Amino acid sequence: MTSTTPSAPALTRPSRSAPRPPSPVPVLAHLVIWGGAAAVLALWWSDTRSVVGVAGWLTGAGRITGLLAGYTCAVLLVLMARTPLLDRAIGTDRLARWHAMGGRYTISLACAHVLLIIWGYSLESRTGVVDQTTTLVLHYPDLLKGTVGFLLFLVTAIVSARAVRRRVSYETWHFLHFATYLAVFLVFGHQLSNGADFTGNRSAQLAWYALYIGAAALLAWYRFAVPVRRALRHRLYVTEVRPEAPGVVSVYLSGSRLEELRAEPGQFFRWRFLTRGLWWAANPYSLSAAPHPAYLRITVKASGGHSAALARLEPGTRVLAEGPYGAFTARRRRARKTLLLGGGVGITPLRTLFETLPGEVTLVYRARRPEDLALRAELDGVAAARGATVHYVVDEPAAYSSPLTAEALRGLVPDLAERDVYLCGPPGMTQAALRALRDAGVPRRRVHHESFAL
């Protein structure tokens, strides 16, 4: 294979596009989601003539929570189907937050559904809760499978809880998350077999099938078919691994027809390196150089087993890349002046935006030590080429440190409140920066933040 790795990334001229108005897609997505929930409640209302007694109220509440849990399962699948329209307009990080919040609602609704139905049925049949549970699980159609699916949902929820999530690797969490697909499949049947709102209601059944088949089609196409098709078309492979800072390397990749990927500065891919120990995991890494027809580049810090292993990649290693993803691009720009605020390896998407964003751009790059400032020579070159400003802030030595406060940021960028802010860095730094920007009077709508803690 012939290497096409450049000695240094060629600089790209900033575009001259004007700031864009906010996209209506997030608002429309909210309206569609809540409109669907209203339709589910209308289904229960139209099929319920009366509610009598405590058992009736409990059973009715169980039906409502069950319908909503079933509906939110389909919504969660659509949110994470990686549909380009949603991903580019809303952003992968925001979709992930919606998905996480929706997951908590779904688990809560499912638990309430199980408890309310068992309680209501036990009062109605005058049997104990244990006996009623046994009867439901073993003698109602598809409820044994539904129970297994419900337990899988609980396991996924436990693994996704913050206290547990911090203790497992991204790869393990991602792999276990696939259990939710099996859980949805197992639970789906009992909704139509036992749901009072579906039994004998052909229209409701067809609507439910359409909802789930549509979600499954989006998942099958964008999560599986499109990545396979792109892998065969672009045939990506590693050309070079280059050290950038202590524990930080850049991985250069080449392939065929890379311009057809239509990647934008600020976006990321999910990379699967087809070598021993790495082939089974697809991790998100941002492009750290503007997309080029001959090559792509990512810059990665060794923060786990997967990222550390990238330093040992051999040239020629085949790569599968899913993407590009994310809305952390020039499309979010609302003002003519921009501040890029990065910390650690969070500089990677900001490096591409620093080079390509139009208008007046200032970069503030924070790191622990001077030697941890990855890509510094490139940043200085970009600043000189476009007449931009870059500020480096380190914690050590203390003489060069600066607190991440509104006052400190205004000292570096006096017109901070008039700017768009693109923010990317470790969670602790990001939270401190969000507080500082709020205190400095930067409107929330002009703070663009992307997190890869998916």
Side-chain angles (χ1 to χ4, degrees):
M1 297 180 183
T2 303
S3 173
T4 57
T5 306
S7 57
L11 296 184
T12 302
R13 286 190 177 184
S15 65
R16 296 183 179 180
S17 59
R20 302 186 183 190
S23 170
V25 173
V27 175
L28 292 175
H30 273 292
L31 291 175
V32 170
I33 291 171
W34 288 108
V40 168
L41 293 176
L43 173 63
W44 171 83
W45 181 266
S46 65
D47 198 50
T48 303
R49 296 181 179 179
S50 63
V51 179
V52 180
V54 176
W57 282 105
L58 291 172
T59 304
R63 285 169 54 194
I64 292 173
T65 52
L67 285 170
L68 289 173
Y71 169 70
T72 54
C73 280
V75 171
L76 294 181
L77 295 178
V78 172
L79 289 178
M80 297 310 288
R82 298 173 188 167
T83 307
L85 173 63
L86 296 179
D87 188 82
R88 289 179 180 270
I90 299 175
T92 304
D93 61 323
R94 192 190 299 184
L95 288 173
R97 289 195 294 272
W98 289 6
H99 178 82
M101 180 177 63
R104 291 190 285 272
Y105 287 148
T106 301
I107 292 298
S108 300
L109 288 167
C111 290
H113 166 67
V114 170
L115 295 174
L116 290 167
I117 286 293
I118 292 174
W119 191 5
Y121 278 28
S122 65
L123 289 178
E124 187 174 340
S125 62
R126 301 180 185 277
T127 59
V129 171
V130 175
D131 290 338
Q132 186 61 53
T133 302
T134 303
T135 300
L136 288 170
V137 172
L138 299 180
H139 299 290
Y140 277 59
D142 295 317
L143 256 181
L144 182 57
K145 291 191 297 183
T147 302
V148 175
F150 172 66
L151 294 176
L152 283 175
F153 274 127
L154 287 182
V155 171
T156 305
I158 293 170
V159 172
S160 299
R162 289 185 180 181
V164 179
R165 176 72 180 86
R166 297 191 193 100
R167 291 174 170 80
V168 298
S169 67
Y170 171 84
E171 294 81 11
T172 301
W173 171 82
H174 190 264
F175 182 76
L176 291 175
H177 226 62
F178 277 103
T180 55
Y181 295 146
L182 177 60
V184 170
F185 173 77
L186 292 172
V187 168
F188 178 77
H190 103 277
Q191 299 176 64
L192 299 181
S193 299
N194 303 295
D197 302 287
F198 295 107
T199 304
N201 189 339
R202 189 62 175 168
S203 297
Q205 292 175 7
L206 291 175
W208 214 244
Y209 271 115
L211 176 65
Y212 273 83
I213 290 173
L218 288 174
L219 279 169
W221 181 251
Y222 289 112
R223 296 288 297 264
F224 300 100
V226 169
V228 170
R229 185 184 66 174
R230 287 181 173 172
L232 295 175
R233 185 169 182 81
H234 300 295
R235 303 180 64 81
L236 287 169
Y237 61 93
V238 175
T239 59
E240 183 184 356
V241 178
R242 187 179 299 175
E244 301 286 2
V248 179
V249 298
S250 285
V251 180
Y252 289 82
L253 309 105
S254 188
S256 303
R257 305 182 181 94
L258 298 186
E259 69 280 358
E260 295 179 7
L261 290 170
R262 298 181 180 178
E264 299 180 35
Q267 290 189 306
F268 70 96
F269 289 77
R270 285 181 171 86
W271 306 90
R272 189 185 302 271
F273 297 90
L274 303 184
T275 187
R276 184 177 180 181
L278 296 177
W279 64 268
W280 63 280
N283 283 30
Y285 299 116
S286 295
L287 296 176
S288 62
H292 190 278
Y295 69 93
L296 300 174
R297 187 185 75 176
I298 59 174
T299 301
V300 181
K301 181 178 181 179
S303 57
H306 187 279
S307 54
L310 299 191
R312 300 188 295 273
L313 285 173
E314 295 291 336
T317 301
R318 289 290 181 181
V319 183
L320 301 181
E322 301 174 34
Y325 297 124
F328 195 64
T329 67
R331 296 171 184 266
R332 285 190 176 181
R333 190 172 64 101
R334 302 288 175 261
R336 296 190 178 278
K337 295 181 179 181
T338 307
L339 168 65
L340 306 178
L341 179 54
V345 79
I347 193 62
T348 53
L350 299 182
R351 154 68 178 85
T352 63
L353 293 172
F354 189 44
E355 179 181 344
T356 58
L357 274 178
E360 182 180 326
V361 181
T362 298
L363 170 66
V364 175
Y365 182 13
R366 303 179 63 90
R368 190 165 68 88
R369 303 169 300 174
E371 55 266 35
D372 295 326
L373 295 167
L375 309 175
R376 181 170 183 174
E378 291 183 20
L379 297 172
D380 289 337
V382 171
R386 65 174 299 175
T389 302
V390 56
H391 298 286
Y392 299 107
V393 180
V394 294
D395 296 329
E396 302 173 7
Y400 295 94
S401 66
S402 174
L404 190 45
T405 62
E407 292 74 15
L409 287 176
R410 278 196 294 257
L412 297 174
V413 189
D415 58 353
L416 175 59
E418 302 173 12
R419 295 177 178 250
D420 269 305
V421 179
Y422 285 77
L423 171 63
C424 190
M429 173 263 180
T430 298
Q431 293 303 315
L434 289 172
R435 290 191 296 269
L437 292 169
R438 183 177 62 247
D439 294 342
V442 181
R444 182 176 179 181
R445 67 182 181 278
R446 287 202 273 110
V447 177
H448 315 301
H449 164 229
E450 187 148 85
S451 168
F452 302 109
L454 307 177

